[in-house]
Amino acid sequence: FLVMTTLATTLAAGAVAGFTLAFTVLQIPIGVVGVPLGIVLLPSLAQATALGDVDRFGRLLRRALGLLVFVMLGISALGIVLADEAVRILFGHGGLDERTLAATAAATSVFLLGLTAHSVIAVLARAFYARQDTLTPVVAALAVVALDAALAVAFVGPLGLSGLALAIAIGAWVEAVALATLLRRRIPQLSFSPVV
């Protein structure tokens, strides 16, 4: 976040505020649906792991991811279509100029491309925690921070504020796929089809 806001300072006036507001909008569905689902799921996943019940672990994970993908894709699509109106309703009375509102709405739309991935990460990380593996999600997250920073540097010039949002969205998808792949390698009989 520090790297992103630093890069935002190189853009037009209001870019830092626009980035922060767009990122906040992204966090709302993650905080309301994605993270709570992961938290609620953790004890059941841990119990299935403790009992060695890979089938139950897989069923719980598939159902949670299926529900999450279904809900978040819908929210993403709706949010992208209504981003401009939502940003104006939420932040249009706070003294932001027209250019900042437009940039915030555009960044929000791009951030929402990664919403499903961010939410999936919240569940997949807990699947690792249930297996008493906190290192793998942390290492994956740190690797993606480096990727996000590199992509942001590449995208900020040509795409501006939306480039920063795109870097974070791409990083989220890379992290989600990496976590799913690593979990599948650790539990070969685990299948995410058709979810992941």
Side-chain angles (χ1 to χ4, degrees), residues 114 116-125 128-129 135-148 151 167-183 196:
T116 303
H118 286 291
S119 300
V120 164
I121 291 165
V123 171
L124 288 175
F128 281 94
Y129 301 161
L135 183 62
T136 300
V138 170
V139 170
L142 290 174
V144 168
V145 167
L147 174 65
D148 285 351
L151 290 173
I168 290 173
I170 291 171
W173 281 107
V174 168
E175 185 176 354
V177 169
L179 288 175
T181 302
L182 290 169
L183 191 61
V196 178

Side-chain angles (χ1 to χ4, degrees), residues 83-104:
D84 191 56
E85 291 80 2
V87 165
R88 290 179 190 287
I89 289 169
L90 292 171
F91 310 116
H93 307 289
L96 296 177
D97 61 36
E98 184 60 34
R99 187 169 64 177
T100 301
L101 285 171
T104 302

Side-chain angles (χ1 to χ4, degrees), residues 50-118:
L51 296 172
D53 192 346
V54 176
D55 289 337
R56 181 167 180 252
F57 184 93
R59 275 195 316 276
L60 288 166
L61 199 53
R62 277 191 304 276
R63 289 165 81 192
L65 291 174
L67 174 66
L68 199 56
V69 168
F70 176 76
V71 169
M72 290 305 182
L73 284 177
I75 291 172
S76 296
L78 188 61
I80 289 168
V81 170
L82 299 175
D84 191 56
E85 291 80 2
V87 165
R88 290 179 190 287
I89 289 169
L90 292 171
F91 310 116
H93 307 289
L96 296 177
D97 61 36
E98 184 60 34
R99 187 169 64 177
T100 301
L101 285 171
T104 302
T108 299
S109 292
V110 177
F111 267 129
L112 288 171
L113 294 174
L115 174 63
T116 303
H118 286 291

